[in-house]
Amino acid sequence: MSFNELIVEPMFFVVSTILSIFLSVFANIITPKLSALLSKYSSKIRHVQSKKKETFSIKVKVASNDENKVINIKLDAAYLLIRSLLIMIVSFFVFMTIPYFIDSFTIIILFISFLLVTYSISTLNNAQKTYNIALLATERAEKIKEIKYLVQDAFNPYDDYEHDFTDPEDEMFTEHLNAWDEENI
């Protein structure tokens, strides 16, 4: 029996109608539960991402206040990069030893090489994140100096104004710095 003959049969219409109704009811029952599960999962992911971003911005702000910390962070990034490259080289050497082993060990060696490459890539990503922290901290430190200079120029220290309210220098400085932080961090 060909497909065209099967479609013409009345039994095909009855079975396909019953199955489509069953699938529709099943989908309507499952959809809200699946949607709730995905919503819960995505809110957890959003929470974790916001925590990571907050930690990142705190690291940048703390490092921008101390030039030695920026240098240390850059050295840490360089160390992570070198470690990643060495692990990658070891992984390639492990991979190149495959012809010297029995065929039953080939999968184990491939697996070890794959694990080393994965760890190397993870270390490389950590080096990149660390360097980004140092780079943003350096830019923020330069921006702090620039804003301080602009604020001091805008408000001459010899002006006669009342000091019974919030100092406009501090207010202007924090306003500009917060705007830069929002834009760049």
Side-chain angles (χ1 to χ4, degrees), residues 20-101:
S20 65
I21 291 172
F22 173 74
L23 285 175
S24 175
V25 169
F26 182 72
N28 286 332
I29 291 171
I30 294 293
T31 300
K33 294 178 182 178
L34 188 62
S35 175
L37 181 68
L38 290 175
S39 174
K40 183 179 178 182
Y41 181 70
S42 68
S43 67
K44 285 182 181 179
I45 289 175
R46 242 182 280 121
H47 179 70
V48 168
Q49 287 175 342
S50 68
K51 285 288 188 184
K52 284 183 180 179
K53 185 175 181 177
E54 183 180 326
T55 317
F56 182 79
S57 72
I58 288 172
K59 286 180 180 179
V60 169
K61 289 176 183 178
V62 167
S64 67
N65 293 328
D66 188 6
E67 190 175 318
N68 290 330
K69 281 189 180 192
V70 174
I71 293 170
N72 287 338
I73 291 172
K74 286 180 182 178
L75 288 174
D76 289 343
Y79 168 73
L80 287 172
L81 182 63
I82 291 170
R83 187 168 78 179
S84 171
L85 292 174
L86 287 175
I87 293 170
M88 186 71 73
I89 290 170
V90 168
S91 167
F92 288 141
F93 280 130
V94 168
F95 181 74
M96 290 169 50
T97 62
I98 288 176
Y100 302 111
F101 288 98

Side-chain angles (χ1 to χ4, degrees), residues 3 6 8-9 11 15 24-25 31 46 52 59 67 85 88 100 138 155 157 163 175 183:
F3 184 70
L6 182 66
V8 176
E9 290 289 323
M11 188 65 169
V15 170
S24 175
V25 169
T31 300
R46 242 182 280 121
K52 284 183 180 179
K59 286 180 180 179
E67 190 175 318
L85 292 174
M88 186 71 73
Y100 302 111
T138 303
F155 293 98
H163 290 284
E175 180 182 313
E183 184 180 315

